[in-house]
Amino acid sequence: MSTEKNNAHQKAPGRSKISVRNQGQNTRPRPNRYSKNQGNRSSRDQPVEVKIGQKFPLTIKRLGINGEGIGYFKRKIVFIPGALPGEIVTAKVTDFTDRYIEAKVITIREKSPDRVVPEDPAADLVGGFELAHLSYPAQLAFKKDLILQALEKFQPKGFAHYQINDTIGMAVPYHYRNKASLPIRKIKGEVKLGLYKRGTHDIVDLPTIATQDETSMTIVRQVKKILSDASVSFYNEVKNTGLIKTIIVRANQAGQAQLVLVTNVEEFPGRLAVIDALTEKMPALTGIFQNINFGKTSLIWGDETIKLWGDDYLHEEILGLNFAFSPRAFLQLNHEQMTKTYEIAIKALDLNKEDTLVDAYSGVGTLGLSMAFFVKEVRGMEVIPEAVADARLNAAANGIENAFYEVGTAEKVFPKWAQEGFSPTAVVVDPPRPGLDAAFKRALLKTKPQKLVYISCNPSTLARDLADLDAAYQVDFIQPIDMFPQTPRWEGVVKLSLK
């Protein structure tokens, strides 16, 4: 497997303004500082002696897991977005409880040397840019520290001696998102497409988004113009009327794209004219879909998706294999960092032709099929039937005959396979943010595959799961990977082996 390309990643320095320790030394566990339920117990239950709108100076001590600055006022923890460690700010209280205070920055009296001007002018208005004001080397150091914080909270055996590598970043930490899901509304006669202003449902119209790749963003803006010219109706949240709610575009590395129009109702007046205009103006489109998402909901997707035109799938190449993705199939938003993640996982597993591999939470098979040529057999399970169908299709399309996929949860399918006599020598898991199910962990500890790799998107649930798995496994290394630059979101690969 190829190594990372030259200059394809940056490494954080061993110590920075936001680091909380000398990363290379063992440290004693400290009080949990991983959630808003923090602080000394002696002061935690005391009334907060502040009021809404009150201002006070505040020294920022560190960053929280959501990228907000953290300081202390009268022994109460204060969360203040946009502030950086080492800064002295004037804070204004926006909310509080008995345990913490929320505030905003009024002025910065002393700036951090790690403060930078965000590349996107809307970074202070919308989500997805929580760390855009922090220099990129400092962002990488922060993401290394996130897993250290989580380990100190859950304290798996020997965690102080874990090898935690520097975060692998990007040479250009912008324009990496290959998928755009943007709400669209008509407000006072003007069609607006962009992101919600933080804490509201007011749309900030965005001609560009610094983290979005150029293909998807260009197509989104063209779709907006075509829909506006076609005089289709747009969703009104107050009245719960109108048609188009959200525009979703996913682009591949070849510059092709898949379009989904999320609608409030199934009936789509003028649909054929819209399709004609879209396909004429945008030859990059391979398929156009309508997803019906009735009424007021915080969910982007509804249950029903209808193909309006074109191919059923968008194709993407990953590690030399061709994968087909239906509109709702999961694919990492950052192709470059996803590739690095898979390469690290494959190398960590050190597979051979005698290995039998389980790909838990397999999705459409991107990870497991990338390993199929190294092993005797791959088995994967996924709860979404459409994803399993895609995985089987992808196996056949790539000439892979030693891969088997089944619909079901890991905690049910894995023990069933064990009862049937299947005992894998290697397992790779890539669960959603809640982490591994307790029943699945019990099954892993009973089966004890020799090789285990855990890909995580949540350092907290990862650390919790490592504390459970340490009954049989030791951690060889944890490799943080910056899958989402400019945000506090975390990704990492963990190599485990039997004790």
Side-chain angles (χ1 to χ4, degrees), residues 1 16 31 78 93 130 138 179 183 258 273 280 287 295 331 338 371 377 402 425 432 477 484:
M1 189 55 57
S16 78
V78 182
V93 177
E130 292 82 5
K179 185 177 181 180
Q258 190 178 66
E280 179 184 352
L331 174 65
M338 172 188 66
M371 302 179 181
E377 180 183 4
N402 63 336
T425 61
F477 68 76
F484 301 99

Side-chain angles (χ1 to χ4, degrees), residues 229-250:
D229 293 343
S231 298
V232 302
S233 65
F234 298 96
Y235 183 60
N236 184 307
E237 288 184 86
V238 176
K239 298 179 180 179
N240 194 26
T241 59
L243 181 62
I244 307 291
K245 283 183 168 182
T246 308
I247 297 174
I248 302 173
V249 173
R250 174 155 58 189

